[in-house]
Amino acid sequence: MLDDAFAHHAWATLRLIHACLALSPAQLETAVPGTDRSILETMRHVVASDSFDLFVASNERGSFIRADRMGLAELRAAMEDIGARWSRLLEGGIDPDAVVREVDPYDGYRRDAPMGLRLAAALQHGSDHRSQICTALTSLGLKPPALDAFTFGLQDGRVVEVPAPS
């Protein structure tokens, strides 16, 4: 079950990065409504935060990246790697009740939380910011890509839709 959730999570971020590759530099600087970030800065935040969540969940030092200067192509490559690392972590089996300690490397802030909540938070965080970027795309008069789980399932070949008879 978690495999599907995290595969969708990585796919949705990659699909949104792909859609943003067509934007001009000025469009990438469009402020995301309700935030203090541009489209590009929000995308950097999504990928960097996902790498940090993976680092905390897996304790893999190499998974924590600094994305503050990355372009979209670099973010795409990083997210492809992050998606593969999430998959490897989940393959190993995890205890949802195991308490995981997070320590912020910049200010020392500490949080202890069960693995199940950490994973839920990673998925929710990505979804929240992807939605904000989609809103920014809409404000530019562009149609954002479909990022929902059923579209993912259709592309993955595991969802079949049959129109109602007319």
Side-chain angles (χ1 to χ4, degrees):
M1 184 168 36
L2 283 174
D3 294 339
D4 283 342
F6 276 88
H8 167 260
H9 171 71
W11 170 87
T13 299
L14 288 165
R15 186 169 165 95
L16 189 54
I17 289 170
H18 179 74
C20 289
L21 285 168
L23 300 179
S24 70
Q27 288 173 314
L28 286 172
E29 291 306 314
T30 299
V32 172
T35 74
D36 60 350
R37 296 183 180 110
S38 69
I39 290 172
L40 181 58
E41 290 168 332
T42 303
M43 191 65 75
R44 287 171 174 157
H45 174 71
V46 167
V47 174
S49 294
D50 212 46
S51 77
F52 182 72
D53 289 337
L54 178 60
F55 162 70
V56 171
S58 68
N59 204 20
E60 276 187 32
R61 287 243 176 256
S63 60
F64 183 37
I65 61 166
R66 300 235 1 171
D68 53 340
R69 291 205 162 92
M70 286 185 171
L72 290 172
E74 294 167 299
L75 291 170
R76 179 180 53 205
M79 193 63 213
E80 287 170 349
D81 182 58
I82 291 165
R85 288 175 186 245
W86 276 121
S87 182
R88 283 194 302 274
L89 173 67
L90 296 170
E91 284 173 0
I94 53 174
D95 177 358
D97 297 319
V99 174
V100 178
R101 174 164 288 168
E102 165 191 348
V103 179
D104 189 296
Y106 304 111
D107 64 10
Y109 171 84
R110 190 181 104 192
R111 175 186 292 137
D112 296 330
M115 178 66 87
L117 285 176
R118 291 221 56 90
L119 297 179
L123 296 173
Q124 182 274 326
H125 183 261
S127 181
D128 186 41
H129 287 301
R130 287 190 301 267
S131 176
Q132 292 170 344
I133 293 169
C134 287
T135 299
L137 293 174
T138 301
S139 76
L140 290 170
L142 303 170
K143 182 176 177 166
L147 302 178
D148 61 279
F150 286 127
T151 298
F152 167 70
L154 284 165
Q155 288 194 352
D156 196 40
R158 293 185 304 131
V159 170
V160 176
E161 294 182 344
V162 178
S166 38

